[in-house]
Amino acid sequence: MTFLADLLSTVFERRYRWPSLEEDDDRPIEALTAELVSATGEVSGQSLARRILDRYDQMDDTTKWTFFRHLALDMTISPEAVRAALKGYEEGQTKASYRAFVAAAEPPRQELIRRLNQVPGATAALVRMRADLLRLGTEDDALQALDMDFRHLFASWFNRGFLVLRPINWESPAHILEKIIAYEAVHAIDSWDDLRRRLHPVDRRCFAFFHPAMPDEPLIFVEIALTRGVPDSIQALLTEDRTPLAPKDANTAVFYSISNCQKGLANTSFGNSLIKQVAADLKVEMPGLKTLVTLSPIPGLVRWLRGEGIEYDPGDKDLMRQLAALYLLKAKHDAGGPLDPVARFHLGNGAEVHKVHAGADISERGLAQAGGAMVNYLYNLSNVAQNHERFAAAREIAASSDVRSLCASAEKRMVRSLAVG
Amino acid sequence: MTFLADLLSTVFERRYRWPSLEEDDDRPIEALTAELVSATGEVSGQSLARRILDRYDQMDDTTKWTFFRHLALDMTISPEAVRAALKGYEEGQTKASYRAFVAAAEPPRQELIRRLNQVPGATAALVRMRADLLRLGTEDDALQALDMDFRHLFASWFNRGFLVLRPINWESPAHILEKIIAYEAVHAIDSWDDLRRRLHPVDRRCFAFFHPAMPDEPLIFVEIALTRGVPDSIQALLTEDRTPLAPKDANTAVFYSISNCQKGLANTSFGNSLIKQVAADLKVEMPGLKTLVTLSPIPGLVRWLRGEGIEYDPGDKDLMRQLAALYLLKAKHDAGGPLDPVARFHLGNGAEVHKVHAGADISERGLAQAGGAMVNYLYNLSNVAQNHERFAAAREIAASSDVRSLCASAEKRMVRSLAVG
Amino acid sequence: MTFLADLLSTVFERRYRWPSLEEDDDRPIEALTAELVSATGEVSGQSLARRILDRYDQMDDTTKWTFFRHLALDMTISPEAVRAALKGYEEGQTKASYRAFVAAAEPPRQELIRRLNQVPGATAALVRMRADLLRLGTEDDALQALDMDFRHLFASWFNRGFLVLRPINWESPAHILEKIIAYEAVHAIDSWDDLRRRLHPVDRRCFAFFHPAMPDEPLIFVEIALTRGVPDSIQALLTEDRTPLAPKDANTAVFYSISNCQKGLANTSFGNSLIKQVAADLKVEMPGLKTLVTLSPIPGLVRWLRGEGIEYDPGDKDLMRQLAALYLLKAKHDAGGPLDPVARFHLGNGAEVHKVHAGADISERGLAQAGGAMVNYLYNLSNVAQNHERFAAAREIAASSDVRSLCASAEKRMVRSLAVG
Amino acid sequence: MTFLADLLSTVFERRYRWPSLEEDDDRPIEALTAELVSATGEVSGQSLARRILDRYDQMDDTTKWTFFRHLALDMTISPEAVRAALKGYEEGQTKASYRAFVAAAEPPRQELIRRLNQVPGATAALVRMRADLLRLGTEDDALQALDMDFRHLFASWFNRGFLVLRPINWESPAHILEKIIAYEAVHAIDSWDDLRRRLHPVDRRCFAFFHPAMPDEPLIFVEIALTRGVPDSIQALLTEDRTPLAPKDANTAVFYSISNCQKGLANTSFGNSLIKQVAADLKVEMPGLKTLVTLSPIPGLVRWLRGEGIEYDPGDKDLMRQLAALYLLKAKHDAGGPLDPVARFHLGNGAEVHKVHAGADISERGLAQAGGAMVNYLYNLSNVAQNHERFAAAREIAASSDVRSLCASAEKRMVRSLAVG
């Protein structure tokens, strides 16, 4: 452990030692990328890679767009070459013919990105580069194809086996904590005092995934409250003047906020792994924990109700709970899954809709998005795999009988209201 | 640095916590691999991955061979599917059509290997798996094609940007040091006392590359002696009763041994990066260092001399030096490069043939392979890129005038001897 | 290094593992202290020590005072015993007679405090205990004598050789940083943003001394600005909108704030060591640094001017500089040293009065205490020992000719004003 | 934890940075020690301290002896001064009078030693210095008195609260492991392979105490075997070809070797703390552990038997067990405690004599010292305090009924043999 720890410190130290690039190189960037993917690039690649990344760093959006187009159009596959290699492969499936196929089927920009990644700090730079690409490339087929190559490489680089789960607490470095403040996407953290309240009390936990090559950047983090019983309100959960619960008295771990940190890692889903790993770790630490639930927003509820022309009243708690249950169980996406994105995430992980609450998030956003309603998704580790399979295969949504019956009441009410109307 | 260090410790700690797999699963391994690459595998994949790796661990060579054949034949690309996807892509180069092509062109076994890598310790297990594959698959085209996929993934995973350079010294952990003893491939380390003599004196250094996911396994390491002047004998360099040189008095760093540690990482070359990184680090630490050279074996010399019918006499030092120079500069591989593998490595890195020595390695192996001759390759950092390019482009070998003139003498001698003979 | 690092982690981890004391022990505290210093205490001392420290933690000031009186009166030396042992020692200076003298001359409370220190966290608890003692014991001879024993032990425990110098920066743990905010005694830190401005820019440094047994508590810290030239205003130095200076361009390190953190470590001076160690480290890191100065407050200036009936005008910069020079060079303490406590500290360390500035600290406190004046003390490492000796021997104050001449002008002005008046 | 770890690394790093002392200082060492304890020494003390320690390092034994005599005679207390200060204190017990007494009662050499300790590495140097003193001072009253001052300071410096317990295992640094080999005092470790067998198997543990200022030097260590049932032979315990026991199947922890490492820390007993701390840690790690015993040598058995004229026969196991029980329970030291030093140590810690075994250590030393007999001391944590107290108060030895009855048989046999004889 120690040695490993020490081992990694090098990456960081090096940052300060790296000699700056002395002479300028005013060749166009296309010349640099061509050289980097060439045979020469294999040996003298590091300074070339730094030069390209430095150059990129100073580009404005238009220049970046041009650079992406260069990668997309000039460094892509050649269908003829693929076809020829494929033919060779079919004629004789040998090492050589397969190697030729693999070489033809992989666009040169993939090797370019791998070689850019030689430089300390490059991994984070490439993640930011992809964030730019996602932003600038929405309307452009070639750039979207280029993005597939980033995704492909990131799937290898950010493989679960390379991620490291770390607790985030009040003893974590300030430069990491300021990122937690910045990246919290669900319930905003207002100040360092607010952060302290999230991290420091004995009944609070926070965990993040990191990648060894980006030690200063959390990839995703989850905030947890330890409670007795399943909570029904985020205000109560986060209130400033609570008395912290001794961990040994807790029976429930509430995952009340999960935030992705890196736009450039979109579509590389870590959430499922994070939840399961943290759940497993907490159970080892606190054998008394019996229940793992979320306290989640229902971001699409109001929009859907309005779209459907269904009237709602945040003050009518029974009504709100019925409508929330109805929405979560019945509102469907075109592709067949649940309309609500948070529901899709947790149900896809094998959780079930456990309880719905009204008046549970009376922040401005909570009222605007869901009329104050929230939901607990339950992670019952013995059902998770089965739930996941049914959901994956048949879009079947696991829900408690309580929630089912609320949904049924809502449906009856709709029928009645139609009848009346 | 600290945080990073701490961050990584998790991987290791987890090893001890992992619950053992309880129930047995007696499905055939083909069923497990199929499930792991399926949609379900995305969520419940970790236990499946462990099961496959555990199962693999207990296979004998025959069963491994069958398993590899399964990966090679059942989880490969479908040329028809590739062709169809390629056609779609040519008809309209969109995100969807490119995605379809990428999916078709990547054999399912690549995704399988990525998913196997989710488990702690999996990276090392997969490196060992490839070592088995290289051993068992020499005669089998399909297995050699499968190997291309391992290489492809390892090129991403062991990207230079993810490697960590660490000093190895007498304060390193014993379980790492015993691997240094085991892996030293050039000048065997006989005992812990011998190891101490290699690592502990103030004029000795050793550095290794590690990967964060394999913290207990060096990937490659280099042993260095600090000297005044370029050494001409490995015996003198390693003699037990020398007085260590104070580092401030050293003007030369001698890379006298470079050893790859992982058979499963064959063809993933780290040596060039290692030498350059270490050279840069040493220059920062000791500004007085002026010269970076190797003291290298010439493993193919005797075999070549015999093949050519050239007589040699280890006792005739002038002759041996001439013959060594001749061999290094003139003996060619079919592909056009130098015949000697060590020469290929260093010249490919941009080094030059600096000096040749007779009676420099009088160990049994040194006499058998090279009649006691050795060579210094010089890394002159200001010429390295240029040397490399000329070597890559035109197989031009950089050599000192001294070595060139020895080679010329040898050629004259040959001519004379032909004339005489 | 790694192993050492790891080695220390134990102290901390243990904190969480310590089983709580089960059964209550309602004996009076005097019984517990008696048992702890007895032979039994040697073996079963840890739980006893915890019990006493826990008990102490819950005492109010009155009970603490009583507890201190118990230590002061019941666990002190016996003059008769000392005299008898001394007599024995004079009669025959042997191991046994000296041992008997040492035992008699050391009050039992010293052994008590050493045995209390067995428990994890005890060192910090004992430092807090002494802070209480200093607060409650001001009027009480016996308690002040007791304090001498704390000082005696702390002089051994906090020996320079056991202290560890650490950089404090934006990557330091938040729980340490919040203490920096709390303990900054010279120029208050208003917020985390303010802290970030003190620590994060490339031209700022901060260092603290720690003790291994109190890893969460800085003992003393110094804040440093890197500048070109000697600064003449704290406002300019700390202004929010400056452009940070590249360290390689800095020629001056300004120690602009030194804060002691632990009231319980009063009279255990770390400041001198801290400044010298940091100065040595900075010179190694940045060979371009030529000048090490402070930018220090003159806290007693206004009070002294008023006491002396000397008129001053913060708006008259020439006047203020003359008066500041006069005060620093001429105003004396009863014991003969400089009246100003900050001057005493730096001159005692061997620094010299280098420059005085008017309008240099226009904060409320700066104006109230010194009419806005500040001073640079210069640490010229080649003169420090000599300055120190002259100051220690003859109270001779080292000062630049500039400051001397300002002082002379002030004296002339005084004479004139007397003549006029 | 991380921060703490990092915090400590400084000490170590500094070692390499320390500038060497440039100018020579040829004053006699008495002048240097006088200056170091003077006022000046407070400020410029570090270089002075290094000079003295460097000078000491090059002394031969005669010069060391002279140096110690200087400390012992020139830097000791003045009885007149103590008496005067004591008188002042009795006349008025104030801060000032107590301070004067404390100053007079402490010999200047104590302050000297504290000031020597300012330099990195000084703590270890002072421990070695005391080892010299113990070796050279055996016959000299003044030097033995001087040793009391070392002991006094070391009792503060090596206070239990400052010690750190660390596991020693196969991942520990080689430079620590080579010290374990060197210091093992009970059952010699022959080679690195032998060491590996002691540390690496899953049923073996080793722990050591370290001091933060001597991170490269274990102070004391204990070797442990995990077993099922109490072992009766050291050969069986350490045999090379055993199958390691899974820790979850172990019910007994056997402390089979405890070794002090530092001669200079004689009389500073860590063993009791070490055993209790390790016992507590193991119980947390392995709740299945029920029994904590030693497997200890009986070093004085044969000498005592011979002294008493009692015949013994290593081949007669019943006899040997009876004689061992007799010796352990009845053979007394002049001071009243058990004659056997190992028995004194464990019984003093509160252990009990649990079982005796014949043929248990058939090594040359085991046969010579104890005719092959060994003993288990049992640490029953619920009795330890009570056993300790009875032993401390009344020299009462706790023993199992089994051992008592063996002892009774031995006594009967003695009577019979007397009767017969």
Side-chain angles (χ1 to χ4, degrees), chain A residues 275-287:
Chain A
I275 289 174
K276 283 182 193 160
Q277 185 66 61
V278 168
D281 285 12
L282 288 176
K283 287 226 163 184
V284 168
E285 186 196 339
M286 291 174 284

Side-chain angles (χ1 to χ4, degrees), chain C residues 1 3-14 17-18 35 39-44 46 72-73 76-80 82-83 86-87 89-90 93-95 98-99 101-102 104-107 109-111 113-115 117-120 123 141-142 144-149 151-153 155-157 159-168 172-173 175-176 210-216 269 272-273 276-277 281 284 348-350 384-385 388-389 392, chain D residues 1-14 17-18 35 39-44 46 72-73 76-80 82-83 86-87 89-90 93-95 98-99 101-102 104-107 109-110 113-115 117-120 123 141-142 144-149 151-153 155-157 159-168 172-173 175-176 210-216 269 272-273 276-277 281 284 348-350 384-385 388-389 392:
Chain C
M1 176 197 69
F3 180 71
L4 167 60
D6 192 39
L7 187 159
L8 270 297
S9 64
T10 313
V11 178
F12 186 86
E13 290 158 20
R14 181 126 313 132
R17 284 221 283 265
W18 211 258
E35 191 181 338
T40 312
E42 207 174 332
V43 160
S44 60
Q46 275 206 329
L73 303 180
T76 188
I77 53 164
S78 150
E80 299 73 41
V82 177
R83 188 167 290 114
L86 190 62
K87 190 146 174 280
Y89 174 70
E90 286 180 299
Q93 303 199 358
T94 64
K95 178 181 181 179
Y98 185 66
R99 186 210 303 257
F101 169 72
V102 167
E106 183 186 276
R109 61 200 178 210
Q110 278 197 24
E111 182 64 15
I113 298 170
R114 273 196 294 268
R115 290 189 180 183
N117 193 38
Q118 295 174 75
V119 186
T123 310
D141 278 332
Q144 294 200 351
L146 167 61
D147 180 54
M148 293 302 300
D149 291 311
R151 277 175 71 168
H152 180 80
L153 285 169
S156 277
W157 293 355
N159 195 297
R160 172 66 188 92
F162 299 145
L163 301 188
V164 179
L165 183 73
R166 288 306 297 164
I168 301 290
S172 299
H175 78 294
I176 298 291
F210 287 83
H211 188 278
M214 294 172 61
D216 298 332
S269 177
N272 170 44
S273 296
K276 286 185 189 157
Q277 185 66 62
D281 286 12
V284 168
N349 290 340
V384 151
H388 164 76
E389 250 180 80
Chain D
M1 175 196 68
T2 304
F3 181 72
L4 168 59
D6 192 40
L7 187 159
L8 270 296
S9 63
T10 314
V11 178
F12 186 86
E13 291 158 19
R14 181 126 314 132
R17 284 221 282 265
W18 210 260
E35 189 181 338
T40 312
E42 208 175 333
V43 160
S44 59
Q46 275 206 329
L73 302 180
T76 187
I77 53 166
S78 148
E80 300 72 42
V82 176
R83 187 168 291 114
L86 190 62
K87 189 145 173 281
Y89 175 70
E90 284 180 300
Q93 304 200 355
T94 65
K95 178 181 180 181
Y98 186 67
R99 186 210 302 256
F101 169 72
V102 167
E106 184 186 275
R109 61 200 179 210
Q110 278 198 25
I113 298 170
R114 273 195 294 268
R115 290 188 181 184
N117 193 37
Q118 293 174 77
V119 187
T123 310
D141 277 332
Q144 294 201 352
L146 167 61
D147 180 55
M148 293 301 301
D149 291 310
R151 277 176 73 168
H152 181 79
L153 284 169
S156 277
W157 293 355
N159 195 297
R160 172 65 189 91
F162 299 144
L163 302 187
V164 179
L165 182 72
R166 288 307 297 164
I168 300 291
S172 299
H175 77 295
I176 298 292
F210 288 83
H211 188 279
M214 294 171 61
D216 298 333
S269 175
N272 170 44
S273 294
K276 285 186 190 156
Q277 185 66 63
D281 286 12
V284 168
N349 291 339
V384 151
H388 164 75
E389 250 181 80

Side-chain angles (χ1 to χ4, degrees), chain A residues 348-369:
Chain A
N349 290 340
E352 65 179 63
V353 185
H354 182 58
K355 281 194 182 173
V356 289
H357 308 286
D361 178 1
I362 55 173
S363 70
E364 202 172 325
R365 184 160 71 168
L367 287 169
Q369 291 187 337

Side-chain angles (χ1 to χ4, degrees), chain C residues 9-28:
Chain C
S9 64
T10 313
V11 178
F12 186 86
E13 290 158 20
R14 181 126 313 132
R15 180 195 305 176
Y16 296 111
R17 284 221 283 265
W18 211 258
S20 58
L21 293 167
E22 280 126 42
E23 6 73 88
D24 226 30
D25 183 334
D26 52 10
R27 287 181 288 169

Side-chain angles (χ1 to χ4, degrees), chain D residues 140-202:
Chain D
D140 187 314
D141 277 332
L143 297 200
Q144 294 201 352
L146 167 61
D147 180 55
M148 293 301 301
D149 291 310
F150 274 97
R151 277 176 73 168
H152 181 79
L153 284 169
F154 287 4
S156 277
W157 293 355
F158 293 89
N159 195 297
R160 172 65 189 91
F162 299 144
L163 302 187
V164 179
L165 182 72
R166 288 307 297 164
I168 300 291
N169 55 42
W170 194 238
E171 303 192 3
S172 299
H175 77 295
I176 298 292
L177 295 182
E178 72 178 348
K179 285 171 185 164
I180 297 295
I181 295 178
Y183 293 142
E184 158 66 69
V186 187
H187 306 289
I189 300 175
D190 297 329
S191 65
W192 284 83
D193 285 341
D194 199 9
L195 178 69
R196 198 183 201 285
R197 280 192 294 272
R198 300 274 181 106
L199 300 180
H200 196 55
V202 294

Side-chain angles (χ1 to χ4, degrees), chain A residues 308-374:
Chain A
E308 297 290 314
I310 302 175
E311 297 202 353
Y312 70 97
D313 170 7
D316 181 344
K317 294 202 167 186
D318 287 342
L319 173 62
M320 287 313 297
R321 294 178 66 228
Q322 289 177 13
L323 294 178
L326 180 70
Y327 167 68
L328 292 168
L329 268 53
K330 301 296 174 185
K332 298 294 174 185
H333 204 258
D334 293 346
L339 184 59
D340 193 80
V342 176
R344 266 203 310 278
F345 173 72
H346 290 297
L347 296 169
N349 290 340
E352 65 179 63
V353 185
H354 182 58
K355 281 194 182 173
V356 289
H357 308 286
D361 178 1
I362 55 173
S363 70
E364 202 172 325
R365 184 160 71 168
L367 287 169
Q369 291 187 337
M374 297 189 82

